[in-house]
Amino acid sequence: MSDSARLQLGDKTYDLPIVVGSEDEHAIDISKLRAESGYITLDEGYSNTGACQSAITYIDGEKGILRYRGIPIETLAEHSSFVEVAYLLIWGCLPTKEQLDTFSELMTKHSFLREQIRHHFEVFPPGSPPMAVLSAALNSLACFYPELLDTEDVDVFEEAAARIISKVRTIAAYSYKHDMGHYLVYPHPEKNFCENFFHMMFSEPYKDAEPNPVLVRALDVLLLLHADHEQNCSTSTVRMVGSSGANLFASVSAGVSALWGPLHGGANVAVVDMLETIQAQGISVKDYVQQVKDKKAGIRLMGFGHRVYKNFDPRARIIKTQAENVLAQMDIKDPLLGLAEELEGVALEDDYFIERKLYPNVDFYSGVILRALGVPTRMFTVMFAIGRMPGWIAQWYEDRFITHGKIQRPRQVYTGPTEMCYVPLEER
Ligand code: CMC
């Protein structure tokens, strides 16, 4: 394979270097193209554009491979925990027992919210979208920890990271309790990361929630599976905001906003809405799939398809098995699981989905587990955000302090009017 690509523009040729990644991925480096030729490239939606070089997460969409720092997701789902994966993503290696304990203690220490932030929830009307509350609350942390805004010092960065990963869970639970009009429950220093989530969500002043360990482990795996996914929409947003020099709180707050959309993290809510609609309308799965294919109703099969995975999403396989196990072990009958399996069966046999390489993605079955955990549907995307936080932080840190990325500033091909005269108001 040549180490450069040749581009012919008119009678001029340009040699563009080839960059090769550690998994033999090849990219054409066009960073000097505009300066040398006056041309830019156009790639709407960035399907063919590498925005950075990154050593955090590897995906092979054709083979259904996902690895964090080289370790396959299947291995991590079986043997690791969310907190250990958070350390792995941020620091690049698995922690020793001592490092893991220190990191966990740091998160426990910083799981509380300042009392002023507790009052912050009171300004939101009941029924406020939990992703709006989460994004606002995360951004507001910058007001309380000015000493963490300059994160060049590694210890300062570690404290900021631990605070965010820990507090995002507290914020999520508080926003739920506030919305329900319930008493807010403080984190418990002796409970682990996931136990504390259940505690803050479901304990009452007179009764502590005691979640079944099956559910605690299911939550741990679910969060771990969401922890990073290379340069997706929200992660690219976090890197882009951070590339301007914006602080970590502002950057992850922007990530939450990007994740909210139904084509991204919001798909887990959309999947359950879709299954409930099918159930409520009593239409057959085949008829629903036909409506999707007709494209007249403007609906997509939510939880299907992925920009990168064109064979299968390895996270979807793990989540499906987890969902089946959780329901079986807890003896929960959820008709939505049966409906989801039927829908998957019909779609996977259908030429429309086969030709377009559309397979179930991580969001297709995650709602089934979240329902079993007792998490209300409107909070599903918040759960995705709790899981994705370590990935956003690792990617932000890599861009800022390891690869020292430039400010991200794409160009455009302008299609508006050419120079026009200004017409004074009275003459219009
Ligand atoms: N149902 C029906 N048709 C679909 C779907 C779907 N879920 N996804 C893609 N298509 C069709 C699309 O209409 C187009 O058809 P045609 O060639 O006839 O115009 C073709 O497949 C290619 O679609 P695209 O929109 O160009 O593909 P994309 O790579 O831009 O979109 C996607 C990827 C995930 C946004 C899209 O598959 C989708 O909208 N899926 C449903 C939403 C969803 O589940 N999102 C969660 C993604 S995984 C979690 C995460 O990382 O956020």
Side-chain angles (χ1 to χ4, degrees):
M1 176 74 73
S2 154
D3 56 4
S4 71
R6 183 154 292 177
L7 176 69
Q8 177 109 30
L9 290 170
D11 57 358
K12 289 205 170 141
T13 54
Y14 301 90
D15 286 323
L16 304 166
I18 303 275
V19 176
V20 184
S22 52
E23 288 283 351
D24 208 29
E25 289 170 303
H26 287 64
I28 302 167
D29 179 350
I30 55 152
S31 49
K32 298 205 168 62
L33 180 65
R34 185 173 179 280
E36 289 176 5
S37 70
Y39 281 71
I40 60 166
T41 56
L42 183 62
D43 182 22
E44 285 179 26
Y46 306 133
S47 308
N48 307 283
T49 297
C52 59
Q53 298 192 45
S54 176
I56 301 171
T57 290
Y58 172 67
I59 300 177
D60 182 328
E62 270 67 41
K63 296 192 184 133
I65 292 173
L66 168 61
R67 298 186 200 129
Y68 296 159
R69 300 284 188 183
I71 305 179
I73 194 68
E74 293 81 2
T75 312
L76 292 168
E78 196 176 342
H79 300 291
S80 188
S81 67
F82 175 64
V83 173
E84 184 177 71
V85 160
Y87 187 100
L88 171 71
L89 287 168
I90 294 171
W91 298 117
C93 59
L94 287 169
T96 61
K97 165 104 181 52
E98 198 188 341
Q99 287 167 329
L100 185 59
D101 287 348
T102 310
F103 191 54
S104 302
E105 281 159 24
L106 200 60
M107 283 208 266
T108 304
K109 184 172 157 200
H110 295 305
S111 56
F112 286 79
L113 295 180
R114 294 270 182 92
E115 285 303 299
Q116 293 104 311
I117 304 185
R118 274 165 57 89
H119 297 310
H120 195 99
F121 291 95
E122 285 157 25
V123 304
F124 294 107
S128 297
M131 288 295 272
V133 177
L134 181 63
S135 180
L138 278 170
N139 210 356
S140 78
L141 292 179
C143 312
F144 295 91
Y145 306 104
E147 72 282 8
L148 299 184
L149 300 185
D150 174 15
T151 24
E152 199 146 352
D153 179 316
V154 169
D155 293 333
V156 172
F157 166 72
E158 184 168 32
E159 186 184 322
R163 276 191 195 274
I164 293 173
I165 296 170
S166 192
K167 287 187 202 304
V168 66
R169 172 196 50 165
T170 313
I171 294 167
Y174 275 21
S175 82
Y176 167 70
K177 285 283 196 189
H178 172 69
D179 200 44
M180 299 289 287
H182 287 182
Y183 163 91
L184 304 187
V185 179
Y186 288 101
H188 193 299
E190 271 153 34
K191 293 187 188 291
N192 71 28
F193 191 92
C194 291
E195 287 167 348
N196 241 325
F197 175 74
F198 283 102
H199 173 61
M200 289 187 279
M201 284 283 287
F202 304 120
S203 285
E204 301 287 352
Y206 51 86
K207 192 169 182 279
D208 263 10
E210 277 162 20
N212 187 304
V214 171
L215 297 182
V216 177
R217 179 62 189 153
L219 175 61
D220 207 19
V221 174
L222 188 93
L223 295 179
L224 170 166
L225 290 176
H226 285 87
D228 195 45
H229 212 234
E230 53 116 304
Q231 309 311 317
N232 54 79
C233 177
S234 55
T235 303
S236 305
T237 301
V238 170
R239 286 184 85 123
M240 179 169 273
V241 174
S243 78
S244 73
N247 67 71
L248 188 53
F249 301 113
S251 304
V252 297
S253 161
V256 169
S257 301
L259 187 70
W260 190 357
L263 297 187
H264 192 9
N268 56 15
V269 175
V271 169
V272 169
D273 287 348
M274 173 185 77
L275 295 173
E276 285 178 342
T277 305
I278 296 173
Q279 200 181 33
Q281 293 181 350
I283 48 173
S284 75
V285 158
K286 280 208 163 123
D287 285 349
Y288 190 82
V289 168
Q290 192 56 47
Q291 283 182 32
V292 169
K293 288 170 16 179
D294 287 348
K295 296 193 173 182
K296 285 188 200 126
I299 48 173
R300 287 191 165 196
L301 195 53
M302 300 313 282
F304 255 71
H306 199 277
R307 172 61 64 80
V308 180
Y309 293 120
K310 298 298 174 197
N311 188 338
F312 68 93
D313 178 341
R315 304 166 301 170
R317 284 194 173 169
I318 300 169
I319 285 201
K320 183 180 180 190
T321 313
Q322 279 282 327
E324 288 166 344
N325 284 345
V326 168
L327 296 200
Q329 289 193 52
M330 300 298 298
D331 200 21
I332 301 171
K333 308 257 176 297
D334 186 344
L336 290 200
L337 175 63
L339 199 52
E341 285 175 332
E342 197 188 336
L343 200 53
E344 179 188 357
V346 170
L348 291 182
E349 299 270 293
D350 194 297
D351 284 347
Y352 174 96
F353 295 90
I354 296 170
E355 279 160 18
R356 290 170 179 76
K357 301 187 177 191
L358 301 170
Y359 297 88
N361 58 50
V362 68
D363 290 317
F364 196 64
Y365 284 104
S366 63
V368 177
I369 297 190
L370 289 168
R371 279 160 63 94
L373 301 183
V375 176
T377 311
R378 58 200 307 274
M379 291 269 300
F380 284 6
T381 315
V382 168
M383 302 306 292
F384 194 149
I386 298 174
R388 185 53 56 87
M389 207 51 77
W392 287 341
I393 292 169
Q395 300 269 355
W396 182 93
Y397 186 74
E398 178 177 70
D399 188 64
R400 181 68 74 81
F401 296 116
I402 299 189
T403 53
H404 300 283
K406 291 185 186 188
I407 185 167
Q408 294 191 29
R409 204 294 186 192
R411 287 190 176 262
Q412 63 170 15
V413 175
Y414 175 69
T415 58
T418 51
E419 186 171 352
M420 302 229 319
C421 295
Y422 174 79
V423 182
L425 190 57
E426 57 279 10
E427 291 173 26
R428 280 177 232 159

